[in-house]
Amino acid sequence: MTDVRARLLKTREAFYKMSALPVQRRNAALEKFAGLIDRERAMLLEANKKDLENGDRASPLYQRLKLDDEKLTVLVKGIRDIVAAEDPVGRVLSRTLLDDGLVLERKSVPIGVLGIIFESRPDVIPQILSLVIKSGNACVLKGGREAAHSNAAFMKLVGELDSDLAPGWAQLLETRQDVAEMLAQSDLLDLVIPRGGNQLVQMVMSSTKVPVLGHADGVCHLYVHASADISMAMKLAIDGKTQYPSACNSIETLLVDRAVAPSFLKVFEAEAKRLGVRLKGCAETKRLTPSVEDASEADWRTEYGDLTLAVRVVGGVDEAIAHINR
């Protein structure tokens, strides 16, 4: 038996216990988890510092990799929000009277053992595990190697929850070979969730018989309508690109109505240039703002994850919608 299979068997056994825990136990464990993160800030930030020393500051992944006090505060608050949330287990979703005294109920239940693969963000671990605890599941995780120290630090805290939950309820894999072995254990895994780029999702989907909860690229659009408040549209476009460019909800394509394009793009180009945003545009955008680079067809479907933005002039809301759908 491989080490990965043995660990998955342990996680499967832990799931049976997790799925039967009352919500009071699950919530108490979550509250303890939040307290541990709050108490061990220095240890977590020191581990993250080691990862950052090995990181490429110019890479879009660097900002995702970085932890700070503010991010930890948000994490702690998020876990406590989950404590306050309604119990998702055992909710009656529908009820049908089949016969006198015979009622069929449909209830929400835990899924089982989750295999979760994610890339550089170490704060994904507490986010995922909080939801796993609340929903009575168990999981096996594989994080990006660039966050190895941070991931190990979070898992050290997780180990302190085993006695409150079930030993082995959450385990961390180390290598790509471990992931390949995990994906082959279709009798022990119930769902695989890849969190990362589309290439990762496609790789996972082609490598396992286990159901995969996949997603597409995060190509987010902002459309400036002809009736838009130009000042507000400027703020939204700049903030949507520059506030956290490596996040998957950062805008990648800006669509501007032809009626306001001349006035909007002139001001937007100057502000974007000041903030270091690289603009790629269609032929009409280039005619209005000559310094913009040519956009290729591939740019309209690219998730940049950095300070690059594709800009297209469109002839109204229907054309904007058609572009987004395409």
Side-chain angles (χ1 to χ4, degrees):
M1 182 188 297
T2 66
D3 176 62
V4 171
R5 183 166 179 82
R7 294 175 71 181
L8 275 168
L9 280 166
K10 186 175 182 179
T11 305
R12 168 63 65 184
E13 289 301 316
F15 163 66
Y16 296 135
K17 296 177 182 177
M18 290 287 289
S19 64
L21 288 176
V23 68
Q24 293 83 0
R25 283 272 301 277
R26 287 178 272 129
N27 282 341
L30 283 168
E31 187 59 51
K32 181 177 179 179
F33 192 24
L36 287 168
I37 293 173
D38 205 18
R39 187 189 77 195
E40 299 294 343
R41 286 171 182 257
M43 182 271 288
L44 292 167
L45 294 177
E46 184 61 31
N48 184 244
K49 185 179 177 182
K50 294 177 183 177
D51 291 325
L52 293 175
E53 287 170 356
N54 299 323
D56 177 6
R57 288 181 176 271
S59 167
L61 296 179
Y62 189 84
Q63 286 303 315
R64 297 188 191 185
L65 179 61
K66 187 177 181 180
L67 286 177
D68 54 29
D69 249 344
E70 184 180 355
K71 280 189 178 181
L72 292 178
T73 297
V74 170
L75 275 175
V76 170
K77 181 183 183 302
I79 294 171
R80 288 179 171 146
D81 286 344
I82 293 172
V83 172
E86 181 185 358
D87 183 11
V89 179
R91 291 170 54 210
V92 177
L93 305 176
S94 63
R95 185 180 285 111
T96 304
L97 179 64
L98 298 180
D99 206 340
D100 289 342
L102 182 60
V103 177
L104 175 67
E105 289 185 340
R106 180 185 179 191
K107 288 187 176 182
S108 60
V109 297
I111 294 170
V113 177
L114 314 178
I116 303 173
I117 306 163
F118 57 97
E119 292 180 336
S120 56
R121 284 178 48 203
D123 48 336
V124 165
I125 285 186
Q127 290 171 350
I128 289 171
L129 296 186
S130 301
L131 296 173
V132 167
I133 294 170
K134 185 75 176 191
S135 56
N137 289 294
C139 68
V140 178
L141 306 171
K142 171 62 174 73
R145 64 181 181 275
E146 63 275 10
H149 294 95
S150 305
N151 293 341
F154 276 118
M155 292 305 293
K156 183 178 178 182
L157 303 185
V158 168
E160 297 192 38
L161 300 178
D162 279 4
S163 59
D164 302 272
L165 298 168
W169 70 276
Q171 301 199 56
L172 183 67
L173 301 181
E174 301 296 332
T175 68
R176 290 184 179 180
Q177 180 58 35
D178 288 345
V179 172
E181 287 193 44
M182 177 187 76
L183 293 175
Q185 311 300 323
S186 57
D187 58 326
L188 297 178
L189 270 181
D190 296 290
L191 181 67
V192 179
I193 306 174
R195 286 188 56 167
N198 190 251
Q199 185 177 1
L200 171 67
V201 175
Q202 296 303 319
M203 181 278 291
V204 170
M205 293 178 76
S206 64
S207 305
T208 187
K209 296 179 180 178
V210 181
V212 177
L213 184 63
H215 61 82
D217 290 316
V219 184
C220 301
H221 300 73
L222 180 68
Y223 167 56
V224 182
H225 190 272
S227 64
D229 177 323
I230 297 300
S231 175
M232 181 184 288
M234 274 286 301
K235 291 176 183 177
L236 290 170
I238 291 295
D239 183 72
K241 180 73 265 185
T242 64
Q243 195 255 355
Y244 194 173
S246 63
C248 57
N249 59 345
S250 165
I251 64 168
E252 308 292 6
T253 299
L254 177 66
L255 303 173
V256 185
D257 198 288
R258 186 168 289 116
V260 293
S263 56
F264 177 86
L265 287 176
K266 183 177 181 181
V267 181
F268 180 77
E269 178 194 26
E271 184 64 6
K273 187 176 182 180
R274 184 182 73 81
L275 294 170
V277 180
R278 178 188 180 192
L279 299 179
K280 294 185 170 188
C282 66
E284 191 166 350
T285 300
K286 277 191 65 62
R287 182 174 58 78
L288 295 168
T289 50
S291 69
V292 172
E293 298 176 35
D294 285 315
S296 68
E297 189 57 35
D299 284 309
W300 309 121
R301 54 176 59 88
T302 297
E303 182 180 10
Y304 299 108
D306 60 19
L307 288 173
T308 305
L309 183 66
V311 184
R312 171 169 260 171
V313 176
V314 293
V317 66
D318 289 339
E319 193 175 323
I321 292 170
H323 171 96
I324 293 167
N325 287 342
R326 189 167 60 250

